Amino acid sequence: MQFEPVIGLEVHAQLKTKTKIFCGCSTEFGKSPNANTCPVCTGMPGVLPVLNKQVVSFAIKAALATNCKINQESRFDRKNYFYPDLPKGYQISQYAVPIAEHGYLEIESEKAGPIKIGITRIHMEEDAGKLIHDPARAKSMVDLNRAGVPLIEIVSEPDIRTPRQAGAYLRKLHAILRYIDVCDGNMEQGSFRCDANISLRPRGQKEFGIRSELKNLNSFKNVEKAISYEIERQTYVLEEGKKVIQETRLWDPSKNKTTSMRGKEEAHDYRYFPDPDLVPLIVDDNWIQEIEKELPELPDEKRSRFVKEYKLADYDAKVLTSSIELADFFEETAEPLKDKKQAANWVMTTLLGMLNTKGISIKKSLITAKAFSKLLLLIENGKINANAAKTVFEEMVETLKSPEVIVKEKGLEQVSDQSELEAMVQDIINENPDEVTAYRDGKTKLFSFFMGKIMKKTRGKADPKIVTQLLKTKL
Ligand code: ADP
Ligand code: MG
Ligand code: ZN
């Protein structure tokens, strides 16, 4: 039987506020355990939460950027469960009425083209603390620095059909949250985490099948791999005539498989109820409009503008707008250049290639857009050729010297003196009579042989345009 996967994603994004959601403690990552705590976030008796206004602003901004409707009145609820990293015994979240609902993101599917993935809801909540287990001492310790750090949870509709679409949705959401600067997106530090819900149904059937929920997906690649694995596993179960059971499963990236964590019978009953310590949250039109005005150009808009303004291929525009830093780097590089396409190519191949091999993100690139632009300007002005530019770039990466200095030091200026090159071409022709005859008899592939000779003579510095012209004439 043919089965169709049905996938829905839940994303927790940590908001970039300076302080926690219900107290004034710092949200800074990496502080010594329990340095960022106070009676409120450690759940002492008698304390009261005070909502951080910036959290609401960021949540509204995220909601507007994902086409959601804002609920002008929403509530905070208590989600009750016991765990030692949750000192109050409940998490303050939004349940019955979240801050925003009914949004969507547009992604591209290889088969279906652009498709919309619905967003069910966005709600605000506080994060829990962290347990540190010390096997050497058979002890567990608790660090409450993260307790009370603000999160938004973004829940998608079960509109996703393939692992690739899941990856595309997440990358898009990640890019948007970073464009609007509400989340740093650091997946290793857990600022952007995803749970995936997957079920299968016979093709053509309307009702959804029983789903499993995958946790511990800490990279885009892992999300795609884990979903693929889960589709295979469930297909196998169903083809055996058995039933998929509703459960939470854990992805093990080292073994490339998922294992059962807990079943439905162990699922929590959270006994949600409105938090009596917090009044309903009212958001007025003015506030929403103010935030709307602050919204920057979003990835899709930037991508269309790059195609229009710089005449880039759509695919290139998509790559270059995949993160705000890359888009900014490209625009700053291209700014003084006439040839925007050349700038795009160099950023995508040479710069990104180097960063990839070195495993550095564009944010941490030591080559600035200004310096990179100067290098490309040297090509555009005919000072160096593309070959030499590659050498200069490698040297820039090594020494961080400016491209002009490297060109001088290494004597890489392009040889574009017409008469000098003409003499050289004549020499090469005189020295290789057999090849000249063969070329004239139609073996035109030999053109690169002559070109190679000239480049060797000039140590790669000859202006290839002029040499091509000269060779064509003389041959
Ligand atoms: P919970 O809070 O228990 O995780 P929700 O109803 O809020 O449950 O659903 C969470 C996610 O699961 C949503 O992203 C939703 O789209 C997805 N989902 C719900 N039902 C299914 C299903 N049958 N198959 C796949 N995904 C599903
Ligand atoms: Mg869930
Ligand atoms: Zn605190």
Side-chain angles (χ1 to χ4, degrees):
M1 196 188 275
Q2 277 273 9
F3 295 107
E4 178 184 49
V6 171
I7 302 159
L9 301 175
E10 295 163 274
V11 169
H12 284 92
Q14 185 184 320
L15 298 176
K16 266 175 83 172
T17 55
K18 289 208 171 65
T19 57
K20 294 186 179 181
I21 182 168
F22 297 120
C23 64
C25 290
S26 164
T27 53
E28 200 180 331
F29 185 84
K31 280 301 176 86
S32 61
N34 300 304
N36 298 343
T37 58
C38 74
V40 174
C41 55
T42 52
M44 293 296 143
V47 298
L48 287 171
V50 177
L51 179 58
N52 180 341
K53 188 173 179 186
Q54 186 69 61
V55 171
V56 183
S57 286
F58 280 170
I60 294 173
K61 206 168 180 187
L64 293 173
T66 52
N67 311 295
C68 287
K69 287 205 190 71
I70 312 287
N71 286 321
Q72 296 200 309
E73 178 172 341
S74 67
R75 297 208 59 114
F76 285 95
D77 299 284
R78 290 186 180 179
K79 178 178 179 177
N80 299 283
Y81 66 94
F82 175 77
Y83 205 65
D85 65 6
L86 188 75
K88 294 194 297 294
Y90 60 84
Q91 176 193 27
I92 305 178
S93 181
Q94 294 194 294
Y95 186 63
V97 190
I99 181 82
E101 292 171 284
H102 311 302
Y104 68 88
L105 280 191
E106 197 169 278
I107 60 161
E108 266 151 278
S109 132
E110 288 132 281
K111 280 196 193 141
I115 53 171
K116 280 181 182 168
I117 306 297
I119 289 174
T120 316
R121 54 190 273 139
I122 296 182
H123 64 252
M124 297 174 278
E125 61 187 24
E126 58 180 342
D127 209 344
K130 195 171 88 182
L131 291 182
I132 302 157
H133 304 289
D134 183 353
R137 293 194 291 161
K139 263 189 183 166
S140 290
M141 293 167 286
V142 67
D143 175 6
L144 295 176
N145 283 348
R146 208 179 56 191
V149 162
L151 304 174
I152 47 173
E153 180 172 346
I154 303 145
V155 182
S156 91
E157 288 288 304
D159 289 345
I160 299 165
R161 294 290 170 267
T162 67
R164 280 248 185 138
Q165 286 177 15
Y169 169 86
L170 283 178
R171 286 185 177 92
K172 187 56 136 327
L173 181 58
H174 186 259
I176 289 174
L177 295 182
R178 296 194 55 246
Y179 266 67
I180 62 174
D181 206 23
V182 304
C183 170
D184 70 18
N186 190 323
M187 292 174 90
E188 277 141 44
Q189 290 176 5
S191 321
F192 185 92
R193 7 191 233 265
C194 167
D195 301 335
N197 296 271
I198 301 136
S199 64
L200 297 185
R201 64 179 170 190
R203 266 183 208 285
Q205 178 182 303
K206 228 175 155 228
E207 299 77 42
F208 293 145
I210 310 263
R211 71 181 146 126
S212 57
E213 180 173 3
L214 307 184
K215 300 234 174 232
N216 197 27
L217 309 170
N218 58 5
S219 74
F220 299 124
K221 276 263 149 60
N222 278 333
V223 172
E224 293 178 7
K225 279 204 241 170
I227 294 175
S228 297
Y229 174 86
E230 194 55 21
I231 291 171
E232 259 181 61
R233 188 189 69 83
Q234 290 186 15
T235 304
Y236 183 75
V237 170
L238 293 174
E239 277 176 350
E240 288 277 282
K242 295 184 188 142
K243 283 203 171 109
V244 172
I245 52 169
Q246 185 166 343
E247 61 180 347
T248 303
R249 298 179 69 87
L250 217 54
W251 169 247
D252 183 340
S254 64
K255 296 199 180 104
N256 268 324
K257 57 188 252 181
T258 64
T259 49
S260 181
M261 187 175 137
R262 61 167 179 263
K264 197 186 177 184
E265 26 332 324
E266 300 150 67
H268 302 287
D269 174 0
Y270 294 119
R271 301 193 173 242
Y272 282 99
F273 65 87
D275 191 314
D277 289 341
L278 288 156
V279 292
L281 171 64
I282 312 289
V283 173
D284 64 19
D285 281 328
N286 279 344
W287 195 6
I288 299 174
Q289 279 159 18
E290 253 168 56
I291 295 170
E292 194 147 32
K293 270 190 245 143
E294 283 169 22
L295 276 185
E297 185 181 41
L298 294 173
D300 286 346
E301 299 167 274
K302 209 184 269 295
R303 176 176 168 180
S304 334
R305 179 169 65 79
F306 279 15
V307 170
K308 250 203 232 132
E309 191 174 327
Y310 304 125
K311 308 279 178 292
L312 301 187
D314 186 52
Y315 176 81
D316 296 354
K318 181 181 172 188
V319 171
L320 290 171
T321 53
S322 61
S323 83
I324 185 73
E325 286 85 7
L326 184 57
D328 287 348
F329 192 102
F330 162 71
E331 286 207 283
E332 202 181 331
T333 300
E335 211 266 321
L337 300 168
K338 276 194 222 82
D339 191 344
K340 312 294 185 190
K341 272 191 191 162
Q342 163 138 302
N345 283 338
W346 277 77
V347 169
M348 285 191 302
T349 53
T350 312
L351 185 89
L352 286 187
M354 181 275 291
L355 293 174
N356 275 344
T357 6
K358 297 206 166 220
I360 321 174
S361 72
I362 183 111
K363 256 201 289 194
K364 303 217 168 100
S365 172
L366 291 176
I367 304 293
T368 60
K370 266 216 172 60
F372 198 61
S373 189
K374 276 187 189 153
L375 172 67
L376 301 190
L377 211 52
L378 291 175
I379 308 178
E380 197 161 278
N381 295 338
K383 291 264 173 10
I384 57 174
N385 64 26
N387 254 337
K390 293 241 161 75
T391 313
V392 174
F393 180 71
E394 277 161 25
E395 190 70 13
M396 285 167 75
V397 173
E398 284 298 310
T399 63
L400 296 179
K401 286 181 186 165
S402 83
E404 292 94 337
V405 169
I406 295 169
V407 168
K408 279 223 183 76
E409 278 180 2
K410 300 207 140 200
L412 288 167
E413 290 94 349
Q414 180 158 256
V415 180
S416 35
D417 183 289
Q418 186 84 18
S419 53
E420 190 182 336
L421 287 173
E422 190 167 349
M424 267 188 230
V425 167
Q426 193 56 57
D427 285 349
I428 297 289
I429 286 181
N430 296 343
E431 286 159 18
N432 299 280
D434 296 348
E435 283 78 5
V436 172
T437 315
Y439 179 87
R440 288 180 179 151
D441 285 347
K443 219 174 158 194
T444 51
K445 270 194 192 149
L446 279 170
F447 194 83
S448 54
F449 164 84
F450 296 108
M451 185 59 107
K453 289 271 177 202
I454 304 278
M455 284 301 177
K456 202 165 167 203
K457 234 183 179 144
T458 58
R459 289 188 296 127
K461 295 183 297 184
D463 182 331
K465 267 195 236 119
I466 300 180
V467 176
T468 303
Q469 202 52 50
L470 286 167
L471 274 172
K472 285 212 165 128
T473 323
K474 294 215 177 264
L475 283 166

